[in-house]
Amino acid sequence: MAFARGKLTADALLRRHFEEHGRYPRALALVLWGLDNIKTQGEGVAQALHLLGVRPVRDALNRATEIEIIPLEDLNRPRMDVVMTVSGIFRDLFAPTMALLDKAVRRVAALDEPFEMNYVRRNVSEKIDLDSEEFDDAVTRVFSNAPGSYGTNVNFMVMQSEWETGDSLGDLFVTRKCFAYTRDSKGRTIEGREARDLMDHALSKVEATYQNIDSFEVGITDVDHYFEYLGGISKAIEKRAQARPAIYLSDSLSPQTKIRSLEETIRLETRAKTLNPKWYEGMLNHGFRGVAEIENHVANTFGWTATANAVDPWIYTDIARTFLLDSTMFNRLQELNPYSLRSLIKRLLEAHDRGFWNPDEDILEKLRDIIGELKDRREKAISI
Ligand code: BEZ
Ligand code: MG
């Protein structure tokens, strides 16, 4: 089932890229998470295999432990080169699956096929010619954290406003995720060898990034993990490939998988959640925690500007209008949770300071006034 669905999604992803760019991407970068692959029974893994032009084969115990090459005449398109960054949770849960993905890339790279029909072979050969690299290194495509380490820290840098340029966020992503899970020339397993140069090079070929969303319950503005991963890798690619990649997501919620650009997904989620009265009134029913949740969505939205420049300015303006410039709403938030309210205003001002949002001067002045008033009230409260 996962492979049948994964095929549809991977084909839709390539179709979308082809329609927008007139050709397939030289390479793609995929984010694979552990819990998502459990819930979907491996849809993300299946997508990666289909992009490579291989299918899983089951052993006598019904485990997908082997792969089989899909002939080019059945595939009807070139084999895609796929750089996979897997989460720490995926790495801990799915070592044999990582080995299967690594094996699939190696088998595809070794096929005697023309470059224009086999992008893995093309990119690997180019790397070998360029740097006299060994095949076993040039073919490395499965990366994760160092053993025992989790996450990218990109989310923490953004949340704490502790970053200067977008490049530093992309570099941090690579620092955290450049550990190769592969084999050496003798077939010995390598689990987490630092391979920054190899990752830098693999990313320099990437023109599209992609992640599967498995539930609307937890979307790309609900938690900071989507922007730390998909945003983080896209920012790393922007510097290494010297062009921002096309960024896509899909959902596996309905029988018809739909590919959306990151910008479309942010608009959809913002309208469905952050700016939707049904959603925020529901949150406000939870009082203190509800305001924190609204503020969280604004911060996660900001994370998508920081890492991927993917948020329309009207979104920040509508957030300011809905929660801050409407005095009834403002007073409700102030009453329920002044701490999160203050963070929300500061995040909008940060968006302006960093050049992400340029609203009318009267909006800015209002936000600065509010921050000033909140500060006065706090100081008074402390002196009492
Ligand atoms: C995972 O399931 O791999 C995962 C969960 C939360 C954040 C990041 C990754
Ligand atoms: Mg968390």
Side-chain angles (χ1 to χ4, degrees):
M1 177 70 92
F3 192 69
R5 288 178 55 90
K7 256 169 83 168
L8 287 178
T9 316
D11 285 339
L13 172 64
L14 292 180
R15 216 168 27 247
R16 170 92 195 234
H17 188 278
F18 202 99
E19 279 162 12
E20 286 186 339
H21 303 272
R23 58 183 179 79
Y24 297 116
R26 270 181 310 178
L28 294 115
L30 263 51
V31 173
L32 296 173
W33 284 357
L35 301 177
D36 301 50
N37 275 283
I38 292 174
K39 285 193 271 179
T40 61
Q41 304 198 359
E43 233 171 275
V45 174
Q47 290 161 358
L49 294 177
H50 187 65
L51 288 168
L52 288 163
V54 305
R55 63 172 80 89
V57 176
R58 293 183 176 274
D59 65 14
L61 294 176
N62 202 30
R63 301 171 307 188
T65 47
E66 258 304 332
I67 53 111
E68 174 178 273
I69 302 290
I70 303 171
L72 283 176
E73 51 279 20
D74 296 343
L75 196 61
N76 267 324
R77 59 154 171 89
R79 302 185 193 284
M80 294 297 125
D81 190 358
V82 187
V83 184
M84 291 158 275
T85 42
V86 319
S87 70
I89 296 179
F90 189 111
R91 173 206 55 207
D92 292 352
L93 292 171
F94 296 127
T97 308
M98 288 169 80
L100 189 72
L101 291 166
D102 178 64
K103 185 196 272 183
V105 177
R106 285 163 180 277
R107 287 272 304 279
V108 167
L111 291 172
D112 184 12
E113 289 173 343
F115 284 164
E116 68 273 14
M117 292 307 286
N118 184 330
Y119 293 2
V120 185
R121 180 164 176 255
R122 178 170 72 187
N123 291 339
V124 169
S125 301
E126 198 184 293
K127 175 71 176 153
I128 291 171
D129 292 346
L130 190 73
D131 295 332
S132 322
E133 194 81 59
E134 300 289 333
F135 175 84
D136 292 284
D137 287 333
V139 81
T140 305
R141 293 291 184 275
V142 183
F143 297 93
S144 187
N145 297 81
S149 154
Y150 300 83
T152 72
N153 290 355
V154 168
N155 46 340
F156 301 130
M157 290 267 276
V158 171
M159 289 304 178
Q160 291 160 24
S161 307
E162 279 177 9
W163 55 285
E164 281 172 16
T165 63
D167 279 354
S168 59
L169 298 176
D171 290 344
L172 177 60
F173 181 92
V174 174
T175 300
R176 296 281 297 171
K177 286 281 169 189
C178 68
F179 294 81
Y181 288 75
T182 181
R183 289 164 42 189
D184 67 11
S185 59
K186 298 202 170 64
R188 289 176 298 215
T189 309
I190 294 171
E191 291 199 305
R193 183 183 67 190
E194 190 168 6
R196 196 178 180 105
D197 288 352
L198 296 178
M199 189 176 192
D200 280 342
H201 184 82
L203 294 183
S204 75
K205 301 286 166 203
V206 171
E207 294 181 310
T209 61
Y210 168 76
Q211 185 166 2
N212 188 57
I213 308 180
D214 67 4
S215 141
F216 261 145
E217 198 70 36
V218 183
I220 67 167
T221 56
D222 290 297
V223 292
D224 53 4
H225 301 303
Y226 283 101
F227 83 74
E228 67 155 323
Y229 274 84
L230 186 64
I233 196 163
S234 300
K235 193 45 108 178
I237 290 159
E238 192 174 319
K239 175 171 152 188
R240 286 153 185 80
Q242 293 181 9
R244 179 188 183 277
I247 309 173
Y248 299 110
L249 294 122
S250 65
D251 65 66
S252 38
L253 309 168
S254 50
Q256 304 83 5
T257 50
K258 183 152 175 64
I259 301 289
R260 295 190 181 87
S261 69
L262 173 60
E263 291 81 350
E264 289 165 352
T265 312
I266 290 169
R267 274 179 224 127
L268 177 69
E269 274 202 27
T270 303
R271 290 193 170 111
K273 293 184 180 174
T274 320
L275 291 173
N276 179 354
K278 283 189 183 154
W279 182 86
Y280 63 69
E281 286 298 341
M283 287 295 137
L284 292 177
N285 287 340
H286 295 271
F288 184 92
R289 182 63 215 163
V291 185
E293 236 5 88
I294 294 170
E295 188 271 323
N296 227 0
H297 275 71
V298 176
N300 293 331
T301 303
F302 175 92
W304 286 115
T305 306
T307 55
N309 191 22
V311 183
D312 302 337
W314 68 260
I315 290 179
Y316 292 115
T317 305
D318 276 18
I319 287 169
R321 291 219 170 94
T322 305
F323 299 110
L324 307 173
L325 305 179
D326 175 307
S327 58
T328 311
M329 176 58 82
F330 178 84
N331 290 334
R332 285 173 72 196
L333 301 181
Q334 163 76 9
E335 190 68 24
L336 291 170
N337 182 342
Y339 311 101
S340 292
L341 175 63
R342 190 179 143 80
S343 303
L344 195 162
I345 302 166
K346 286 181 77 174
R347 193 64 73 184
L348 289 184
L349 289 173
E350 183 183 359
H352 174 259
D353 291 345
R354 289 187 186 268
F356 296 164
W357 175 50
N358 201 9
D360 294 343
E361 195 53 39
D362 57 323
I363 294 183
L364 282 177
E365 220 159 275
K366 189 89 208 280
L367 299 191
R368 291 191 188 112
D369 285 352
I370 298 172
I371 282 284
E373 272 169 39
L374 291 178
K375 190 163 163 260
D376 289 349
R377 275 191 226 177
R378 233 163 45 144
E379 277 164 8
K380 257 191 221 141
I382 289 166
S383 68
I384 289 166

